[in-house]
Amino acid sequence: MPVSEPRADWALPVKERWFCAWCYAWTELGHGPQEVSRPRYEPPEWRWERADSEGLPADVTHAYGYFGTTLCGIRQDGMHASPYYWLPGRDNACRACKEAAAVIDQRWPTDPGGGRRERPQVTPPPGSDWPPF
């Protein structure tokens, strides 16, 4: 099975990183006053990294879900995202991770034409603690 290239490591300085537990969109607050980053819509095969842990079976790939678990809910000590994409179209992709990725993908906002749209760009009020989703 061919191995895909690792994702680029952006390594940008980030003050805070927030993930939405419902739609898994992320927001990053940088160190500058107006540095707010949000994701553009990406299909499931571009959105998830493979979960990496010594305790996961080698014959099934799982998607890492940002909260220390796979999308299907497996939690293990030392689990992290690998530098490689998780590809839900592959035969060895976890079926439960595929189902969770499909549900999360349907939660992404759509425009009136039915296509996926970027999340709105809003900046939290100065000094606030609310999540800028």
Side-chain angles (χ1 to χ4, degrees), residues 7 19 24-26 47-49 64-69 71:
R7 295 180 74 166
F19 293 93
Y24 281 69
W26 50 262
R47 190 179 309 168
W48 306 104
E49 291 90 7
Y64 185 75
Y66 303 129
F67 301 105
T69 67
L71 287 183

Side-chain angles (χ1 to χ4, degrees), residues 1 19 23 28 47 51 59 64 71 79 88 105 111:
M1 172 168 34
F19 293 93
C23 70
E28 292 179 344
R47 190 179 309 168
D59 58 338
Y64 185 75
L71 287 183
M79 184 182 299
D105 192 57
D111 63 25

Side-chain angles (χ1 to χ4, degrees), residues 22-23 47 97-108:
W22 188 68
C23 70
R47 190 179 309 168
C97 284
K98 285 185 200 184
E99 291 170 2
V103 167
I104 291 165
D105 192 57
Q106 290 303 310
R107 292 176 177 168
W108 197 271

Side-chain angles (χ1 to χ4, degrees), residues 17-130:
R17 181 175 289 133
W18 301 13
F19 293 93
C20 175
W22 188 68
C23 70
Y24 281 69
W26 50 262
T27 298
E28 292 179 344
L29 301 178
H31 289 281
Q34 298 296 318
E35 293 180 60
V36 178
S37 300
R38 289 187 183 79
R40 300 180 95 159
Y41 174 75
E42 298 288 352
E45 59 271 11
W46 295 352
R47 190 179 309 168
W48 306 104
E49 291 90 7
R50 284 189 295 199
D52 193 13
S53 175
E54 290 183 18
L56 290 174
D59 58 338
V60 177
T61 61
H62 293 271
Y64 185 75
Y66 303 129
F67 301 105
T69 67
T70 63
L71 287 183
C72 66
I74 298 172
R75 179 180 297 276
Q76 294 180 349
D77 289 337
M79 184 182 299
H80 61 280
S82 81
Y84 300 99
Y85 282 115
W86 172 73
L87 302 173
R90 293 235 171 126
D91 291 339
N92 67 342
C94 169
R95 180 180 304 272
C97 284
K98 285 185 200 184
E99 291 170 2
V103 167
I104 291 165
D105 192 57
Q106 290 303 310
R107 292 176 177 168
W108 197 271
T110 56
D111 63 25
R116 303 288 185 218
R117 63 181 165 97
E118 291 186 38
R119 297 183 62 78
Q121 296 292 324
V122 295
T123 302
S128 73
D129 288 336
W130 59 272

